[in-house]
Amino acid sequence: MKPAVFLDRDGTLIDEKEYLADPKLVFLIPGAGGALRRLAEAGFSLVIVTNQSGIGRGYYTEADMHRVNDRVVELFAEEGAVFEKIYFAPEAPEQPSRGRKPSPDFLFDARDECGVDLGRSFMVGDKLLDLQCGWNAGVKQSLLVRTGYGAEWEPKLGADAERAVVVDDVVAAAGWILADAERGQ
């Protein structure tokens, strides 16, 4: 069993663009590629977990989303970071969904399909539902980034602020995770 870092896509790994359907509009958060490469080199599997309600709402197709994901994978690969898996929930919030965050089911799937030790893993995202997804799955820590919608969510965390780690971006999240791994050795 290996640890993983579960990552939201939009606003966490790439610039937030509401209902992104065009791969030409994919831009990595500055430094994200190197940060994820360092996590992978430290032994973490990298897994994207993304809600894509634009599909369920009819704003773009699943094929559009796959083209965007392919571009994300390509850009990160150029930086030496490779994702083990991408899980996506295409449903709109009001539609029934097995995997839509904050559901932990995709993290459980990664545990079963990829041999991930959830208790040694982390969830990184820009919304409370990302943090909740990690907590619901029993990850070691959920981290909120201030990119994307994170700066808007930070003051709304309420009591959840005590159990969340809040950092500026995915680069800082990777640094926090790597420092935690060093402390744990």
Side-chain angles (χ1 to χ4, degrees):
M1 301 285 278
K2 58 193 169 198
V5 178
F6 296 97
L7 300 136
D8 173 57
R9 190 188 81 179
D10 303 319
T12 302
L13 294 175
I14 63 174
D15 288 347
E16 175 64 43
K17 304 254 191 316
E18 197 163 333
Y19 304 115
L20 178 61
D22 183 350
K24 290 185 278 229
L25 299 178
V26 172
F27 299 99
L28 301 187
I29 297 292
L36 267 57
R37 183 185 64 248
R38 288 190 298 281
L39 288 169
E41 289 169 349
F44 289 95
S45 291
L46 304 174
V47 180
I48 295 175
V49 180
T50 182
N51 289 350
Q52 291 296 314
S53 70
I55 298 168
R57 292 175 171 161
Y59 297 152
Y60 55 87
T61 66
E62 189 172 319
D64 293 330
M65 182 216 51
H66 285 302
R67 282 190 290 278
V68 168
N69 284 347
D70 290 346
R71 181 67 177 145
V72 170
V73 167
E74 176 187 1
L75 290 172
F76 275 98
E78 289 172 4
E79 300 282 334
V82 177
F83 297 100
E84 183 150 348
K85 186 117 183 182
I86 299 176
Y87 294 97
F88 68 94
E91 301 86 6
E94 66 280 359
Q95 296 171 327
S97 176
R98 176 186 171 277
R100 185 173 169 76
K101 294 177 287 183
S103 168
D105 284 344
F106 287 151
L107 278 63
F108 295 150
D109 290 347
R111 175 196 62 202
D112 299 340
E113 296 168 9
C114 306
V116 169
D117 180 347
L118 292 174
R120 293 173 38 220
S121 297
F122 299 85
M123 178 73 210
V124 180
D126 69 330
K127 294 180 181 171
L128 178 58
L129 56 82
D130 297 314
L131 304 179
Q132 292 168 332
C133 173
W135 294 327
N136 292 341
V139 300
K140 184 173 185 180
Q141 186 59 260
S142 288
L143 294 90
L144 180 76
V145 293
R146 291 185 179 109
T147 52
Y149 293 107
E152 293 173 37
W153 272 104
E154 184 178 6
K156 300 178 197 174
L157 290 178
D160 287 321
E162 291 186 22
R163 61 183 184 153
V165 170
V166 181
V167 295
D168 285 338
D169 56 20
V170 71
V171 177
W176 191 96
I177 291 166
L178 292 169
D180 180 78
E182 288 276 321
R183 286 189 298 272
Q185 291 183 5

